[in-house]
Amino acid sequence: MKKKSPFLKILGSIVLLGIGVFLGKSFFGQKNMETVPIPSSMKYRNVGHTKDTTQVASDREFTGKIIEVKKGSSIQDAVKEANPGDLIRVYPGTYSENVYIDKDDISLQGVVIKGEWPTLDGKKKINDAFLYSGNGILIENFKIINYKGNGIMGQAGNNFVIRNNWIIDTGVYGIFPQYGKNGLVEHNILSKIADAAIYIGMCDNVDVRHNEVFDNVAGIEIENSRHCLVENNYAHNNTGGLLAFVTPGLPIKTTFDVILRNNFVVNNNHENFGAPGSTVSGIPSGTGILIMAADDVIVENNIITGNNNTGITIVDLATGAPKANDPNSEGNPDRVVILDNIMFNNGNDPTGEIKAIMLTQMDTKGPDIFAYGGGTGSTIRDKNKYRTFGLDGYGASQITDTEDIATMMTPSPVPPRSVSKEELGELTYYGVCAGCHAFGTRLIGPPTEILQAIHHDNPQGIVDYITAPKNLREDYPEMPPQNYLSEEAKMAVAEYILALKH
């Protein structure tokens, strides 16, 4: 019998040793569930508050407390326990609750194990999954389903990060930071939202990146906001894919300095199922990108295809929202810049006014780019690449790309909002109420002037209603209760609403 060589003996021993180690770890080793790293954004908490640079801050170790939430316990209880700088880790399970975060620098991180997500399920009974008014809030790795109002709503909180969430059928809005500054919304997937999947409302310095939005009325909406970057998103099968516009009647009057770059805007032909009479209910099915009254919007390097009405629509308020009445809103889209985009197979089935206008041109097909109404100073690079209507006044673009702009976020966190007693009513109105109630136009709820007429000289009536609202009108959806607000804030906002003048 031939003897085995020493080399084969050594090799066999190594293989057996490896198998033994593997089996030992598999059957007898400790099960380590702490597999999710500390969020990197937590390292930057103090940048800007001291003389520290980003590099110094990033080298710091996490010094907060980790609070674990497991199936059968409450996320809200963990928020009550948490202090600024703490991390709340939520493990797989179903949590049917509304989570309100009114503290600064709190991070909520879902832990996904073997494909199982921590799931917030509103069961079509609860209005909102997450509401935050604190600054420096992080919300990531959650599945959020079946709410009546919003998936994640920010109420005047700065320095927010909302990422890697899966949001389905959460009512009016999916992700809705309102009146916040310096934020990041990335790597989220949202569908079946009856207004806007991602709604950046009255915000400044926000990046919206790497999200997928589909089967919604509006995919990504930049409304009355400034300094926003919308990049590398996939917007498909919505009524409208990407929107940048001014809604009249809100306290912030402008939308400007918005870049729509490197997005896939494809087949946005879903029927419009927005609340009748609301602003988004007027978006025509088949709209790829809509720019209404927004200024200094750059549309660059997007793939825009298969949108049956138009690829890009650019209109003024008089055309896009003719019933709106706000003398303080300048209604023209000025200095729009259209750079290199790939556009084809748009306009196959135009509707409404666009269909009628194209018929006057003896054409039954809608254009890649449609501009109608006022506006000055707009430019386009190589107009002849696209099928267009209304671009006669557009000049040649003076820029070729925006590569030098990597982000619209501020270099370091902005200071938390400091609110005096006198400012409490205004801040609460901006951060909580204005997203649904505007002057002279309908968003979701009744216009502000109707609220003033109903509760004339009776702020307590508004306080009582927002604490425990009753749906008294079939033509408006049910209002979420605002009973989490302090009594002082509720009275302050009631008095502010009654004193508002258009």
Side-chain angles (χ1 to χ4, degrees), residues 100-341:
Y100 179 56
I101 309 127
D102 60 352
K103 304 172 182 178
D104 290 347
D105 300 332
I106 302 295
S107 294
L108 293 106
Q109 181 189 64
V111 179
V112 181
I113 300 174
K114 295 182 179 179
E116 293 295 321
W117 289 62
T119 301
L120 277 77
D121 185 352
K123 299 181 177 179
K124 286 300 177 183
K125 295 180 180 179
I126 305 173
N127 286 291
D128 306 295
F130 288 105
L131 290 173
Y132 69 86
S133 61
N135 301 281
I137 301 300
L138 167 75
I139 299 172
E140 68 176 357
N141 304 347
F142 289 94
K143 183 177 181 181
I144 303 171
I145 59 175
N146 301 325
Y147 280 81
K148 295 195 299 181
N150 307 283
I152 301 172
M153 181 181 181
Q155 301 177 329
N158 293 338
N159 306 317
F160 55 87
V161 177
I162 302 169
R163 68 183 173 209
N164 202 39
N165 299 287
W166 182 9
I167 300 175
I168 306 169
D169 192 13
T170 58
V172 181
Y173 303 116
I175 294 174
F176 177 19
Q178 178 168 264
Y179 197 52
K181 188 168 186 176
N182 192 44
L184 176 63
V185 179
E186 68 173 357
H187 295 291
N188 302 283
I189 300 174
L190 303 99
S191 67
K192 299 183 180 179
I193 308 298
D195 197 295
I198 298 176
Y199 175 21
I200 308 301
M202 298 196 301
C203 290
D204 293 280
N205 303 99
V206 178
D207 286 355
V208 182
R209 314 175 77 156
H210 317 300
N211 302 282
E212 181 178 3
V213 291
F214 62 97
D215 293 347
N216 311 289
V217 175
I220 298 173
E221 181 176 315
I222 308 298
E223 183 204 48
N224 297 52
S225 296
R226 291 74 58 92
H227 318 302
C228 295
L229 172 63
V230 180
E231 182 171 38
N232 290 345
N233 301 284
Y234 180 25
H236 61 105
N237 203 41
N238 308 285
T239 303
L242 308 181
L243 295 80
F245 65 92
V246 171
T247 292
L250 293 178
I252 302 295
K253 303 295 183 184
T254 56
T255 296
F256 62 82
D257 192 20
V258 176
I259 298 176
L260 309 176
R261 184 174 70 191
N262 300 333
N263 300 285
F264 291 85
V265 186
V266 180
N267 299 333
N268 289 285
N269 303 312
H270 201 291
E271 65 177 328
N272 192 318
F273 56 99
S278 65
T279 300
V280 297
S281 68
I283 299 172
S285 175
T287 300
I289 293 176
L290 173 63
I291 299 169
M292 184 175 74
D295 299 332
D296 302 294
V297 178
I298 298 175
V299 184
E300 177 190 2
N301 204 32
N302 303 282
I303 295 177
I304 307 168
T305 180
N307 305 287
N308 284 341
N309 196 41
T310 64
I312 302 172
T313 298
I314 305 163
V315 294
D316 56 13
L317 281 179
T319 304
K323 295 181 181 178
N325 176 28
D326 187 347
N328 296 311
S329 286
E330 199 283 310
N332 293 317
D334 299 317
R335 298 175 302 282
V336 175
V337 179
I338 299 174
L339 299 177
D340 293 315
N341 297 276

Side-chain angles (χ1 to χ4, degrees), residues 429-488:
Y429 177 75
Y430 278 37
V432 180
C433 308
C436 291
H437 304 280
F439 254 112
T441 189
R442 174 176 172 177
L443 295 178
I444 302 301
T448 304
E449 65 268 24
I450 293 179
L451 303 181
Q452 292 175 330
I454 293 172
H455 299 286
H456 181 65
D457 290 335
N458 181 22
Q460 187 61 47
I462 294 180
V463 170
D464 294 341
Y465 188 83
I466 65 179
T467 302
K470 298 176 182 177
N471 194 7
L472 303 176
R473 300 178 59 166
E474 291 185 359
D475 53 337
Y476 287 95
E478 180 181 348
M479 174 181 163
Q482 312 297 321
N483 53 344
Y484 56 87
L485 294 172
S486 69
E487 292 302 315
E488 182 184 25

Side-chain angles (χ1 to χ4, degrees), residues 386-437:
Y386 317 107
R387 300 179 70 252
T388 68
F389 177 88
L391 270 62
D392 293 344
Y394 278 51
S397 174
Q398 301 302 302
I399 63 171
T400 58
D401 58 61
T402 59
E403 288 183 359
D404 58 321
I405 302 173
T407 178
M408 288 289 193
M409 296 178 68
T410 59
S412 58
V414 299
R417 294 191 187 279
S418 177
V419 186
S420 67
K421 185 176 180 180
E422 292 74 26
E423 296 169 326
L424 182 59
E426 179 182 43
L427 181 70
T428 306
Y429 177 75
Y430 278 37
V432 180
C433 308
C436 291
H437 304 280

